Amino acid sequence: MAAARYKMISIPEAQATVLQHTPVLESETVPLSAALGRVLAETVTARDNLPPFPASIMDGYAVVSSDGPGEYPVVGDAHAGCSTENLSLSPGHVAYITTGAPVPPGADAVVKVEDTQPAAAAAAGGDAGSQQRRVVICKAVPAGKDIRQVGSDIEAGAVVLQAGERVGVAEVGILATVGAASLPVHRRPRLAVLSTGDEVVAPETENLGPGQIRDCNRAMLLAAAAGAGADAIDLGIARDVEGHLEGCLDKAIAAGVDVLVTSGAVSMGDRDLLKPLLERKGSVHFGRVLMKPGKPLTFATLSLPGSSRQLLVFGLPGNPVSSFVCFNLVVVPALRKMSGWAQPQLRRMQVVLTSPLKLDPERPEYHRVVLGYGRLPPACGAAAGQLGWFATSTGNQISSRLLSARSANALLELPRAEGVLEAGSTVSALLIDDLGFMPQAETDVPATEGFFA
Amino acid sequence: MAAARYKMISIPEAQATVLQHTPVLESETVPLSAALGRVLAETVTARDNLPPFPASIMDGYAVVSSDGPGEYPVVGDAHAGCSTENLSLSPGHVAYITTGAPVPPGADAVVKVEDTQPAAAAAAGGDAGSQQRRVVICKAVPAGKDIRQVGSDIEAGAVVLQAGERVGVAEVGILATVGAASLPVHRRPRLAVLSTGDEVVAPETENLGPGQIRDCNRAMLLAAAAGAGADAIDLGIARDVEGHLEGCLDKAIAAGVDVLVTSGAVSMGDRDLLKPLLERKGSVHFGRVLMKPGKPLTFATLSLPGSSRQLLVFGLPGNPVSSFVCFNLVVVPALRKMSGWAQPQLRRMQVVLTSPLKLDPERPEYHRVVLGYGRLPPACGAAAGQLGWFATSTGNQISSRLLSARSANALLELPRAEGVLEAGSTVSALLIDDLGFMPQAETDVPATEGFFA
């Protein structure tokens, strides 16, 4: 009964312990094309002004604004990408200009093409000027009109992204703009996944033998690791025979991973060999957590030979829901911290229950739900009909029933208590998936009044 | 002034037109390890029961429940993964059992190890029985206690995932459980990205020549495509010389992509050659949309030689913010529909402004913001201090200033109107990034009362 030796600790204690032992990984330089989703290890500044020259905002004519409306000779063309240094403009003249082109010296404003007219072709009869292009400027514009001044978008030397910022889609564009073709980011965590137990067999097994079930944890945890931005390797299944688990642990060490995630072998059975093995090879920081599901959750660190690094080992329970919940609660924040996130914890918000939920008097519970945003359904009671976030339970929450995680995008935090939380109650929820996927029909939520008018 | 030939259409009209011309892509079979993020093309059913046998929920002893508490001989061990068919239990006997092991025939309940005690070793003195293992069952349990019945998690033949469901982390586990080692999913869209213009140069350019700026759109749109689940290829930059743009379009056709996304060459300049080219080669469905930014947004379809498929061409404006916003508004929903999403539109919610925002009297505007959840800041007026979603503007929204998309996770929908929307106003927002990344300190939002007690 080795497990009973472990003090039962609280969830915040478990999470804090994990993060205390989790390092922020060193930086590496990657090409911009590989930077999406990574966290900057250094602040990025602009090497030059954007625009580097006064640039036209419109297609039209560069003018001397004091000239005002009238017909003018067109002395040249300022196209984007060309030098206009030799296209000097004196009063009484204009130049054709395209969006993004440098405004010629002497010009101080742009009149957009919609505010001009072609000059009457034959107006001047047979005089020499008819060979010169002319245009009618219909509108007076103030100096500076439709010109982006040098550095108005980005000033040379300005910080465009801070160390610690995540590189999203727009940030890739910002980095390209300032010429950061490669950049220092925190390394991705390397993680190995191992299943344990004689009962689990490969998912491709068609006909199960006596006592067998398919191994769902390994594929699921590999996917979860990839989703959390880790590079994951598959260590297979450790069998319940002397030495096999230790051999797999040695493989993880040899593979140089930062994190080993196992599932199973942490309960109170005579073949739950993980905790004793981890005790022997390293330090077990906790082996029981007051939570449902996931009570036997185990966390250990192992010194690595010839390295100052430590291997983090997460011993997740074998029940698939327990391993799913525990991965989200403790492994995801650890991977985020490693990857450089300043705020690695899961995001929390308040939501409204759409059905009564029975509480557990012994342990605080993470109830899997599908969050939606829209008109609160009638079950929400007084709040029904208002716009808001509501949580729909995934049903029977037994930890062997992985269907209770199907479509779940959040974990409700239900307090340890007797009784039932009524529909319409407000509870906190932790986000475990992108809400951009949540169910929402086009007509569910109105746009700002007048937006489509 | 070719562009003026295009009727100005509304945003909903543009979005509906795009989706009308967007096919749902055919299915392909992928291994489970490649299924994360894909959409199922067929419904998946369970081929067998889970558990396939009555399984113990606990480590402990399988018993005949009518026996009640007392000391019993242990007739054998039921380990997970073993057959227990030969371990038949008659009243007055128990068997050791581990979590997940098949309950032996004859047993009808499990007593967890915490509710048992080792039998006093020398209790029976020197009698023959001392060679037999014995255990004290301390607690009476009802029939069925701590046993998962056959099929209680998943019944054979039951639908576990529907066609059209997205494969998330939990779904990978569910698929592994039912033995779906490979599965039919909708094909990923193939997309090509092309920049246009003589002014744009590669991001790695250190010293810009006269009139040059770095090409940020291409890297950004390639990242956006990857983020939206497409396989993207880079077609480089089309120069403003006769025939080059057409050559690039032909390359996209030859590459067999489903979607071509260009940026630039859609304004009113004499080198904005995209629309005339698309007119010649296919059908331009719209060329102007009443929106800010993104007015010149263009959408066309081209018949592909020897195929019933059509190439979708999105001509995004050249200003980086315009291309960023337009990609989110029309390309992302198209890619989602192609990938099999039943609800491809961006998700909408209501949020509170933390600063006054000036409205545009001419066009409805997509204002880039960072959404956060927590106590509404004092600027929100009457609602300050309440928990809710609030939007922080990214500042100057000029469409050349890509810093206005930095960290943005939503687009506010601001109506076309005179005046200002005050801080504290409620407006709709479209989600363009995972809210799991949003700023939130651990102390910002409390957990359900009593959760950590």
Side-chain angles (χ1 to χ4, degrees):
Chain A
M1 257 172 285
R5 290 197 291 118
Y6 296 94
K7 188 183 150 211
M8 183 82 85
I9 67 168
S10 71
I11 298 157
E13 214 176 325
Q15 290 176 319
T17 302
V18 167
L19 288 182
Q20 265 164 30
H21 288 88
T22 301
V24 178
L25 295 178
E26 70 279 8
S27 74
E28 62 180 3
T29 298
V30 298
L32 183 54
S33 59
L36 187 67
R38 307 291 288 268
V39 176
L40 283 171
E42 289 175 23
T43 290
V44 177
T45 55
R47 70 176 80 183
D48 30 37
N49 285 303
L50 184 74
F53 45 82
S56 179
I57 295 179
M58 291 291 183
D59 298 306
Y61 291 85
V63 301
V64 179
S65 61
S66 56
D67 283 346
E71 186 179 311
Y72 295 97
V74 181
V75 299
D77 296 333
H79 279 120
C82 298
S83 169
T84 53
E85 278 162 34
N86 299 324
L87 189 65
S88 190
L89 216 64
S90 51
H93 301 81
V94 303
Y96 178 73
I97 193 163
T98 60
T99 306
V103 175
D108 68 351
V110 168
V111 177
K112 63 183 176 196
V113 71
E114 295 92 327
D115 293 334
T116 68
Q117 283 180 0
D127 82 356
S130 69
Q131 291 173 2
Q132 199 176 25
R133 290 159 58 203
R134 300 179 71 85
V135 69
V136 178
I137 302 295
C138 309
K139 206 170 168 180
V141 291
K145 176 68 174 171
D146 282 333
I147 294 178
R148 285 155 59 215
Q149 298 303 335
V150 172
S152 58
D153 292 327
I154 301 176
E155 261 187 286
V159 168
V160 292
L161 295 172
Q162 298 276 4
E165 278 192 72
R166 174 175 153 269
V167 179
V169 167
E171 288 73 19
V172 169
I174 292 167
L175 289 161
T177 290
V178 301
S182 65
L183 52 147
V185 295
H186 292 283
R187 178 165 69 72
R188 286 163 66 97
R190 289 188 287 261
L191 179 150
V193 175
L194 175 70
S195 290
T196 67
D198 283 346
E199 74 277 30
V200 289
V201 297
E204 52 268 31
T205 308
E206 290 200 12
N207 298 305
L208 297 170
Q212 293 185 334
I213 56 169
R214 296 188 191 86
D215 178 13
C216 61
N217 286 345
R218 200 154 35 105
M220 180 175 73
L221 296 173
L222 286 166
D231 292 320
I233 61 172
D234 181 354
L235 290 183
I237 301 170
R239 297 303 176 189
D240 297 335
V241 292
E242 191 62 36
H244 195 200
L245 189 61
E246 181 162 3
C248 292
L249 180 58
D250 289 342
K251 263 191 218 169
I253 293 170
V257 296
D258 305 296
V259 176
L260 171 63
V261 174
T262 67
S263 63
V266 288
S267 293
M268 311 224 348
D270 62 352
R271 303 219 172 148
D272 289 327
L273 305 166
L274 185 68
K275 282 166 173 152
L277 173 64
L278 293 174
E279 289 282 9
R280 212 165 71 237
K281 308 266 278 189
S283 307
V284 175
H285 301 289
F286 58 81
R288 284 200 304 166
V289 182
L290 188 66
M291 61 188 277
K292 180 181 178 179
K295 192 169 68 172
L297 174 62
T298 297
F299 173 64
T301 50
L302 270 68
S303 296
L304 292 172
S307 165
S308 60
R309 277 202 305 129
Q310 297 223 303
L311 174 67
L312 307 189
V313 183
F314 294 91
L316 311 185
N319 265 324
V321 175
S322 309
S323 69
F324 175 81
V325 168
C326 290
F327 189 95
N328 277 293
L329 287 178
V330 295
V331 185
V332 166
L335 295 176
R336 288 176 173 184
K337 182 176 177 190
M338 287 182 158
S339 307
W341 289 43
Q343 298 172 334
Q345 80 289 354
L346 298 179
R347 300 301 185 261
R348 181 180 278 132
M349 57 185 285
Q350 290 198 328
V351 301
V352 178
L353 297 186
T354 59
S355 64
L357 295 182
K358 201 173 170 308
L359 300 175
D360 187 297
E362 293 181 359
R363 288 180 283 166
E365 180 171 4
Y366 291 99
H367 191 108
R368 281 79 67 201
V369 293
V370 182
L371 293 188
Y373 180 84
R375 302 261 167 225
L376 301 181
C380 294
Q386 293 175 18
L387 284 170
W389 291 89
F390 53 89
T392 305
S393 172
T394 54
N396 180 351
Q397 301 280 304
I398 186 172
S399 63
S400 56
R401 185 177 169 269
L402 191 49
L403 285 173
S404 70
R406 175 184 176 188
S407 302
N409 53 17
L411 302 174
L412 295 187
E413 296 176 314
L414 301 184
R416 167 167 69 151
E418 300 281 349
V420 165
L421 265 180
E422 295 304 335
S425 306
T426 296
V427 297
S428 62
L430 299 174
L431 299 187
I432 59 170
D433 199 1
D434 185 347
L435 294 176
F437 302 128
M438 68 182 171
Q440 183 177 87
E442 206 136 357
T443 51
D444 276 2
V445 185
T448 314
E449 203 184 322
F451 184 71
F452 291 132
Chain B
M1 258 173 285
R5 290 197 291 117
Y6 295 95
K7 189 185 150 210
M8 183 81 86
I9 67 169
S10 72
I11 298 157
E13 215 177 325
Q15 291 175 320
T17 302
V18 167
L19 289 182
Q20 266 164 29
H21 288 88
T22 302
V24 178
L25 296 178
E26 70 279 9
S27 74
E28 62 180 2
T29 298
V30 299
L32 182 55
S33 58
L36 187 67
R38 306 293 287 269
V39 175
L40 282 172
E42 290 175 21
T43 290
V44 178
T45 55
R47 70 175 81 183
D48 31 36
N49 286 302
L50 184 73
F53 45 81
S56 179
I57 295 177
M58 291 289 183
D59 298 305
Y61 291 85
V63 301
V64 177
S65 61
S66 56
D67 283 346
E71 187 179 310
Y72 295 99
V74 180
V75 298
D77 296 334
H79 279 120
C82 298
S83 168
T84 52
E85 278 162 34
N86 299 324
L87 188 66
S88 191
L89 217 64
S90 50
H93 300 83
V94 303
Y96 177 73
I97 193 164
T98 61
T99 306
V103 176
D108 68 351
V110 168
V111 177
K112 63 182 178 197
V113 70
E114 294 94 327
D115 294 333
T116 68
Q117 283 180 1
D127 81 358
S130 69
Q131 290 175 1
Q132 199 178 22
R133 288 160 59 203
R134 299 178 71 84
V135 69
V136 178
I137 303 295
C138 309
K139 206 169 167 180
V141 292
K145 177 68 176 172
D146 282 334
I147 295 178
R148 286 155 57 215
Q149 297 304 334
V150 172
S152 58
D153 293 327
I154 301 176
E155 261 187 285
V159 168
V160 293
L161 295 172
Q162 297 276 4
E165 278 192 71
R166 176 175 151 268
V167 179
V169 167
E171 288 72 19
V172 169
I174 291 166
L175 289 161
T177 290
V178 300
S182 64
L183 53 146
V185 295
H186 292 284
R187 178 166 70 72
R188 286 162 66 98
R190 290 188 286 261
L191 180 151
V193 175
L194 175 70
S195 290
T196 68
D198 282 347
E199 74 277 30
V200 289
V201 298
E204 51 269 30
T205 307
E206 290 201 13
N207 297 307
L208 296 171
Q212 294 184 333
I213 56 169
R214 295 188 190 88
D215 179 13
C216 60
N217 286 344
R218 201 155 33 106
M220 180 175 74
L221 296 172
L222 286 166
D231 291 320
I233 62 171
D234 181 354
L235 289 184
I237 302 170
R239 296 305 176 186
D240 297 336
V241 292
E242 191 63 35
H244 195 199
L245 189 60
E246 181 163 1
C248 292
L249 180 58
D250 289 342
K251 262 192 219 168
I253 294 170
V257 296
D258 305 296
V259 176
L260 170 64
V261 174
T262 67
S263 64
V266 288
S267 293
M268 310 224 349
D270 61 353
R271 303 218 172 147
D272 288 329
L273 304 166
L274 186 68
K275 282 167 172 150
L277 173 64
L278 294 175
E279 290 282 9
R280 214 165 69 237
K281 309 266 278 190
S283 307
V284 175
H285 301 289
F286 58 80
R288 285 199 303 165
V289 182
L290 188 66
M291 60 186 280
K292 179 180 180 180
K295 191 169 69 171
L297 174 62
T298 297
F299 173 64
T301 50
L302 271 66
S303 296
L304 293 173
S307 164
S308 61
R309 277 202 304 129
Q310 296 222 304
L311 174 67
L312 308 189
V313 183
F314 295 92
L316 310 185
N319 265 324
V321 175
S322 309
S323 70
F324 175 81
V325 168
C326 290
F327 190 95
N328 277 293
L329 286 178
V330 295
V331 185
V332 166
L335 295 176
R336 288 177 173 184
K337 182 176 177 190
M338 287 183 158
S339 308
W341 288 44
Q343 300 172 333
Q345 79 288 355
L346 299 179
R347 300 301 184 261
R348 181 180 279 134
M349 58 185 284
Q350 290 199 326
V351 302
V352 178
L353 298 187
T354 58
S355 64
L357 295 182
K358 198 172 171 309
L359 300 176
D360 185 298
E362 293 181 1
R363 289 180 282 165
E365 181 171 4
Y366 291 98
H367 192 108
R368 282 79 66 201
V369 293
V370 182
L371 293 188
Y373 180 84
R375 302 262 168 225
L376 300 181
C380 292
Q386 292 175 19
L387 284 170
W389 290 89
F390 53 90
T392 305
S393 172
T394 54
N396 180 352
Q397 300 280 303
I398 186 172
S399 63
S400 56
R401 185 177 169 269
L402 191 50
L403 285 173
S404 69
R406 175 184 177 186
S407 302
N409 53 16
L411 301 175
L412 295 187
E413 296 175 314
L414 301 185
R416 166 167 69 151
E418 300 282 348
V420 166
L421 267 179
E422 295 303 333
S425 305
T426 296
V427 297
S428 62
L430 299 174
L431 299 187
I432 58 169
D433 199 0
D434 185 348
L435 294 176
F437 303 129
M438 68 183 171
Q440 183 178 87
E442 207 136 356
T443 50
D444 276 2
V445 185
T448 313
E449 202 184 324
F451 184 72
F452 291 131

